[in-house]
């Protein structure tokens, strides 16, 4: 574990070879760009590699890629590259319920109008523009109606209750090689999933 005085950064010069799901990461930076998901990165960080070279002792990758492995002395989620936080919004700290508007309880009764989905705006990665990704296509079928784009959620499903069901589905994004992402985080505007203030 690094000492308090050590700089919290990755060793950008160190190279290694770690393979997961057919993808190979060879540097601290590639843990983020290649593996993407924090669960996979976390597994890689537990591996040991000879450091700083082939003659060195086996060292946990978390002690080499301090920043990427979230192994800083005062580890805070804000130090993690934004790519990771946007891929996995469920990692949002639960210690901040105060940011949720008190007027809309999270336990919404089913009789409440579905225009206010249970996904609170705090789950939306900050810095994201409130707009639908109109270039993304998918396939969602409900009651014999097939929807293939953000725009069609409104034109074909019409009812807010049906749109909310679609928004809770997960699709590989931005393409077939991407990670499974909630549709509400692709069709922000249609799914009423905009951050506050946008």
């Amino acid at each position: 574990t690094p000492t308090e005085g050590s700089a919290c950064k990755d060793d950008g010069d160190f190279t290694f070879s770690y393979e997961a799901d057919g993808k190979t990461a060879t540097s601290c930076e590639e843990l983020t760009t290649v593996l993407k998901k924090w669960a996979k990165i976390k597994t890689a960080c537990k591996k040991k590699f000879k450091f700083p070279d082939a003659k060195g002792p086996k060292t946990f990758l978390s002690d080499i890629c301090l920043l990427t492995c979230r192994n800083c002395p005062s580890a805070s989620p804000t130090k993690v590259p934004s790519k990771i936080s946007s891929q996995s919004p469920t990692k949002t700290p639960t210690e901040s319920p105060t940011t949720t508007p008190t007027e809309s309880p999270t336990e919404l009764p089913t009789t409440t109008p579905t225009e206010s989905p249970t996904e609170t705006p705090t789950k939306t990665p900050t810095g994201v523009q409130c707009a639908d990704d109109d270039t993304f296509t998918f396939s969602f079928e409900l009651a014999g109606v097939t929807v293939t784009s953000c725009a069609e959620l409104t034109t074909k499903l019409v009812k807010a209750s049906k749109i909310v069901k679609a928004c809770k589905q997960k699709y590989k994004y931005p393409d077939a090689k991407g990670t499974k992402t909630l549709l509400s985080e692709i069709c922000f505007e249609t799914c009423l999933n905009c951050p506050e203030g946008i």
Side-chain angles (χ1 to χ4, degrees):
T1 306
T3 61
E4 288 293 334
S6 64
C8 181
K9 62 182 181 179
D10 295 339
D11 186 329
D13 298 326
F14 181 67
T15 57
F16 54 90
S17 180
Y18 175 78
E19 187 173 333
D21 297 335
K23 298 176 182 178
T24 303
T26 60
S27 66
C28 296
E29 183 183 1
E30 286 188 4
L31 289 176
T32 303
T33 58
V34 176
L35 302 183
K36 296 180 181 179
K37 284 191 174 182
W38 168 238
K40 292 180 181 178
I41 295 172
K42 189 176 180 182
T43 301
C45 290
K46 293 178 181 178
K47 298 295 182 184
K48 286 186 176 182
F49 295 92
K50 288 185 177 181
F51 179 78
D53 51 41
K55 296 178 182 177
K58 284 195 173 184
T59 306
F60 281 110
L61 196 56
S62 61
D63 288 337
I64 302 168
C65 304
L66 296 175
L67 184 59
T68 299
C69 290
R70 304 184 187 184
N71 194 28
C72 300
S74 56
S76 63
T78 54
K79 295 275 179 69
V80 180
S82 56
K83 286 182 184 176
I84 298 178
S85 56
S86 61
Q87 292 287 341
S88 47
T90 49
K91 298 291 184 299
T92 305
T94 51
E95 303 88 63
S96 55
T98 51
T99 54
T100 306
T102 50
E103 305 88 62
S104 56
T106 49
E107 298 294 329
L108 289 175
T110 50
T111 53
T112 302
T114 47
E115 283 77 20
S116 52
T118 51
E119 279 88 356
T120 55
T122 50
K123 286 191 180 179
T124 306
T126 54
V128 176
Q129 296 298 315
C130 182
D132 294 342
D133 185 343
D134 295 323
T135 59
F136 180 68
T137 57
F138 54 91
S139 180
F140 173 76
E141 189 172 331
L142 183 68
V145 177
T146 301
V147 178
T148 60
S149 68
C150 294
E152 287 186 1
L153 288 173
T154 306
T155 58
K156 289 191 175 182
L157 298 184
V158 184
K159 285 188 176 182
S161 58
K162 292 182 179 179
I163 294 173
V164 169
K165 280 186 180 179
C167 291
K168 291 180 180 179
Q169 300 300 310
K170 287 187 177 183
Y171 296 92
K172 287 188 176 181
Y173 180 78
D175 51 41
K177 296 178 182 177
T179 54
K180 282 197 172 184
T181 305
L182 283 169
L183 193 58
S184 62
E185 288 169 23
I186 301 169
C187 304
F188 285 105
E189 190 173 3
T190 300
C191 291
L192 302 180
N193 192 28
C194 298
E196 290 181 83
I198 292 185

